Amino acid sequence: MERQRLDADIVCVGFGPATAGFLTTLSKQLVNADGSPAVESAVMPGAPPQVLCYERADDIGFGVSGVVTRARALRASFPGIEKAGIPMAAPVGEEMVLYLLDPHGASRRSTTLHLADWFIRTFKFALPIEHHALNLPWTPSFLHKRGGMVLSIGQFMQWAGAQVQSTGAVQIWPGTPVSQALIEENKVVGVRLLDQGVDKKGRPADGFTPGMDIHAALTVVGDGPVGPIGQQLNAHFGLPEGHHTRDWAVGMKFVLDLPADSPLKPGTVLHTFGYPEPEIFGFLYVHPDRVASLGIFVPSWFDSPMRTAYRYLQHWMLHPYLWRYLKGGKLRSWGAKTLGESGKRGEPHLVGDGYARIGEGSGSTNVLTGSGVDEAWATGTQLAEAVLELLKTKKPFTMQNLDEAYVKRRRASWVEQEAVVAEKSRDGFQKGVVRGMMGMALAGLTKGRFTLGGDPAPPWKRIPRIEEYYRGRVSPGQIAKLRGECKARGVSLHGALMDKAGWPAIPFDGQLLVSHQDALLMGGKVQAPPGYADHVVFLYPELCEKCGTKICIELCSGQAITPGENGVPVFDREKCVHCGACVWNCAQPLPYDSERGNIAFRAGTGGLHSAEN
Ligand SMILES: Cc1cc2nc3c(=O)[nH]c(=O)nc-3n(C[C@H](O)[C@H](O)[C@H](O)COP(=O)(O)OP(=O)(O)OC[C@H]3O[C@@H](n4cnc5c(N)ncnc54)[C@H](O)[C@@H]3O)c2cc1C
Ligand code: SF4
Ligand code: SF4
């Protein structure tokens, strides 16, 4: 069957907050009030520009994120946003930052932290401590979201998508992954959609339908931190001198019904650090109607071969400070997603001939304030204003014109100013949590003039051997025995190791504390339609064969990667939640590119089917 071709004016990859910001601004100005085109299409003369947006997930908003946001950019697009009736939205109320002590003694704490814990416990009579948690009496203003909103990003995206589509000026196609950018002599001329009716390896099978080629004068890439099109452009064009994307985190979250007698008020925002491991940050946001979003971030600088999130999330929920609020709660939704934590340092070439990058994949996320949605949205609106300017002045989408119109706008905006302050703010974490927290405070309070240094290393360089990590807790002999047992059962090793290292068993209750498999079905409602190739691919099996930690199996958010023959893991597409964590966590660098690991994360279908995350 021949590959079809479609011509459009603008094609967008991904419908996250960045593209939603782009299309919201653009769609309002393509058509005049009398229905005539405000600017004309090049491919359909007499009509307004033909704008298409392809989203990988099976519906709009089927991703995962917080979100508490100051909502500056959102409010600029929707001045009445608070009163728009967006489900699960609440104004930010009480904000707290808590240092969680370890009630079990199972976490791995540095000497400095042990000393700090001793001090806190000794002087607890004089400190705001309850249920093994210190409520920080003061937190710097840059951490606050006062005046902002607690949203469900899934619900917000569905609402924003409906606003965009109601203009009739653009089309959004969910369930339609883009497999690659079409590049001709360093110019992006459009995108290719994913082939259907293929086997796991992508070879034509029953019902083979090659993905259509969409040619467009402008390709807008807003596919998030691990999107395959952004990755392709990074590989093709390289990153600007000195830039890299070495800092990441996987965020895993639950949406739950709080117990009927919950005292937590809508708008409550709670951030934690210190437990279940000092490196793991947690969040809890309260929506109206006793619904809460909560979760943890496991960062790439957590020097553990067990950067697993699911079990740690359960231990975090069971911390006495939190559990008294959560006990009796019920799981509604669950999922995981990567957060690109390199910020401005991970910024790629923002424009080129025929393309522009927006959102987190363009380095917009602010790693100091923990804010990504507002920034992503703002970069989308900036690009839309630039595109309208170029369309009106009939200038082509060349690198130079896009640079003049978009990049200049972005550089002059608050997104850039705050990104510069944040750029090195988290470098201290490269050398430990205490130094990291001090570095953040220093950078925030001095507006980025002073920071505590630390050279970000690629994640694979930070993964110690399992035997090394558990030295003094689990002997190499015990590790070898557990490894053999887990391999025979075809399961990951971290659960058995955490048990051995002193973590208590999770008291499953069938409604909130459920097994990982149950979370996939009950909370993630994970599905994958047949007829598509595997989107997670182990590039060089020989690298897997010699890989000792096999961290991809341990960290997989969906238990979609399991032990396989000859040391090469097996991928199960039907369990993958598309978090993208495997791609940056792989323990083996590619022989020809030490910034990339042995896993390719390609365009794929399916994943989470919940719009509450
Ligand atoms: C657990 C968690 C909690 C967070 N909490 C907060 C918070 O409280 N406040 C805050 O401001 N930010 C928060 N963030 C960060 C915030 O979610 C991101 O910064 C923001 O979503 C980035 O928007 P984006 O549009 O750039 O990318 P994304 O939201 O990643 O959207 C990209 C879209 O592209 C789609 N896509 C990917 N590949 C393809 C393809 N090949 N073809 C078609 N479509 C594709 C994806 O499915 C997705 O819908 C959180 C993130 C996580 C993971
Ligand atoms: S994919 Fe990476 S982490 Fe997983 S086994 Fe292969 S080399 Fe190791
Ligand atoms: S296989 Fe899927 S679920 Fe597992 S880490 Fe990779 S992207 Fe996430």
Side-chain angles (χ1 to χ4, degrees):
M1 185 185 269
E2 224 172 274
R3 203 176 284 282
Q4 307 271 312
R5 170 180 169 145
L6 182 75
D7 288 294
D9 292 284
I10 299 174
V11 64
C12 305
V13 185
F15 188 72
T19 311
F22 174 72
L23 293 177
T24 297
T25 307
L26 189 73
S27 62
K28 286 180 192 157
Q29 296 183 60
L30 292 178
V31 183
N32 295 318
D34 63 4
S36 61
V39 278
E40 208 179 320
S41 164
V43 297
M44 206 184 276
Q50 301 301 295
V51 184
L52 303 172
C53 172
Y54 295 103
E55 165 55 45
R56 184 206 69 70
D58 287 340
D59 201 356
I60 291 172
F62 277 6
V64 167
S65 74
V67 68
V68 59
T69 173
R70 287 177 68 189
R72 285 174 285 177
L74 303 187
R75 231 179 243 128
S77 292
F78 305 113
I81 190 168
E82 282 89 353
K83 299 201 170 64
I86 302 169
M88 295 172 74
V92 168
E94 188 181 11
E95 292 181 85
M96 279 178 276
V97 180
L98 300 153
Y99 173 65
L100 302 181
L101 294 159
D102 178 352
H104 302 294
S107 64
R108 203 185 56 151
R109 297 174 108 73
S110 65
T111 314
T112 322
L113 266 193
H114 272 303
L115 266 173
D117 291 355
W118 173 85
F119 181 85
I120 292 168
R121 287 187 206 279
T122 307
F123 295 99
K124 65 179 176 198
F125 56 87
L127 293 168
I129 291 192
E130 52 171 347
H131 300 276
H132 300 267
L134 171 69
N135 188 347
L136 299 196
W138 177 84
T139 45
S141 60
F142 60 82
L143 285 183
H144 286 279
K145 301 288 187 299
R146 219 169 279 136
M149 298 176 80
V150 168
L151 291 167
S152 145
I153 200 70
Q155 293 298 299
F156 170 70
M157 287 304 296
Q158 292 226 323
W159 178 85
Q163 309 298 308
V164 168
Q165 302 203 75
S166 69
T167 64
V170 303
Q171 292 179 40
I172 305 170
W173 293 93
T176 317
V178 171
S179 74
Q180 64 178 94
L182 299 171
I183 305 176
E184 292 176 1
E185 292 172 7
N186 285 340
K187 179 179 177 185
V188 175
V189 297
V191 298
R192 174 166 293 171
L193 304 181
L194 198 59
D195 290 347
Q196 294 177 39
V198 293
D199 67 11
K200 283 168 143 233
K201 294 211 153 115
R203 294 170 301 213
D206 282 353
F208 175 59
T209 316
M212 201 189 288
D213 281 352
I214 317 294
H215 284 248
L218 177 67
T219 299
V220 176
V221 182
D223 59 353
V226 288
I229 310 308
Q231 303 283 320
Q232 181 195 349
L233 297 187
N234 287 358
H236 185 91
F237 294 109
L239 293 181
E241 185 69 29
H243 284 207
H244 55 72
T245 53
R246 295 178 183 169
D247 291 319
W248 306 91
V250 59
M252 187 174 275
K253 72 177 273 196
F254 270 39
V255 179
L256 68 148
D257 285 318
L258 291 166
D261 57 354
S262 173
L264 294 175
K265 295 203 171 56
T268 302
V269 170
L270 211 148
H271 286 119
T272 74
F273 64 106
Y275 183 84
E277 298 286 357
E279 294 86 350
I280 295 177
F281 290 80
F283 62 89
L284 188 153
Y285 310 141
V286 185
H287 305 281
D289 304 321
R290 279 191 299 102
V291 176
S293 284
L294 54 80
I296 56 166
F297 284 105
V298 180
S300 51
W301 45 268
F302 172 32
D303 292 339
S304 161
M306 300 290 139
R307 288 184 199 140
T308 171
Y310 189 75
R311 172 125 183 218
Y312 274 131
L313 174 53
Q314 292 186 316
H315 285 297
W316 180 79
M317 284 162 48
L318 282 162
H319 187 279
Y321 186 92
L322 300 163
W323 191 239
R324 67 194 162 129
Y325 294 130
L326 306 179
K327 191 175 177 198
K330 198 162 180 233
L331 173 64
R332 290 166 68 110
S333 185
W334 163 86
K337 183 177 186 286
T338 285
L339 184 71
E341 292 211 314
S342 290
K344 185 160 169 55
R345 202 183 271 144
E347 187 184 281
H349 296 289
L350 292 176
V351 294
D353 287 335
Y355 80 89
R357 313 263 314 248
I358 52 175
E360 193 159 296
S362 77
S364 62
T365 295
N366 190 306
V367 293
L368 176 63
T369 58
S371 177
V373 168
D374 224 12
E375 287 74 7
W377 186 279
T379 61
T381 62
Q382 289 156 8
L383 178 64
E385 285 159 13
V387 164
L388 286 161
E389 182 185 306
L390 295 178
L391 286 172
K392 282 178 188 159
T393 51
K394 298 196 186 319
K395 288 187 180 163
F397 296 118
T398 58
M399 181 194 287
Q400 194 185 342
N401 289 341
L402 286 163
D403 191 67
E404 286 283 324
Y406 165 51
V407 181
K408 271 204 178 145
R409 266 187 175 80
R410 182 159 162 173
R411 298 284 180 242
S413 74
W414 60 268
V415 175
E416 175 78 8
Q417 282 144 26
E418 294 178 12
V420 171
V421 172
E423 184 168 357
K424 296 181 181 158
S425 63
R426 289 168 66 97
D427 286 1
F429 285 116
Q430 303 295 326
K431 295 188 180 163
V433 185
V434 177
R435 192 182 161 90
M437 298 300 283
M438 283 163 53
M440 267 181 83
L442 190 62
L445 296 173
T446 64
K447 302 257 177 276
R449 274 190 288 278
F450 299 102
T451 53
L452 287 183
D455 197 17
W460 64 267
K461 275 203 176 160
R462 307 196 58 116
I463 304 173
R465 287 174 58 242
I466 295 175
E467 291 75 7
E468 208 179 300
Y469 184 78
Y470 283 101
R471 185 171 297 145
R473 291 189 161 197
V474 189
S475 71
Q478 286 172 316
I479 292 173
K481 185 167 171 280
L482 291 175
R483 189 183 270 132
E485 286 167 9
C486 291
K487 193 172 170 209
R489 286 166 48 218
V491 298
S492 53
L493 178 58
H494 64 261
L497 276 173
M498 284 176 76
D499 290 345
K500 259 282 181 285
W503 287 97
I506 303 292
F508 291 128
D509 60 15
Q511 57 173 27
L512 185 57
L513 298 174
V514 298
S515 73
H516 203 159
Q517 287 298 298
D518 285 347
L520 280 172
L521 297 171
M522 286 165 60
K525 304 166 184 79
V526 178
Q527 294 167 27
Y532 289 92
D534 276 352
H535 54 274
V536 169
V537 178
F538 309 101
L539 292 169
Y540 295 93
E542 59 275 23
L543 289 181
C544 296
E545 280 168 29
K546 68 167 195 189
C547 172
T549 59
K550 305 218 186 303
I551 190 169
C552 59
I553 298 172
E554 304 308 327
L555 67 84
C556 178
S557 304
Q559 291 189 326
I561 303 180
T562 46
E565 291 296 310
N566 303 324
V568 184
V570 177
F571 172 64
D572 180 351
R573 201 166 68 83
E574 298 195 3
K575 289 185 182 168
C576 177
V577 300
H578 289 261
C579 73
C582 46
V583 73
W584 52 266
N585 268 295
C586 172
Q588 301 286 330
L590 287 181
Y592 52 88
D593 184 353
S594 62
E595 294 293 324
R596 289 166 61 207
N598 189 28
I599 287 188
F601 184 60
R602 298 178 178 157
T605 50
L608 299 170
H609 282 66
S610 162
E612 289 201 326
N613 281 308

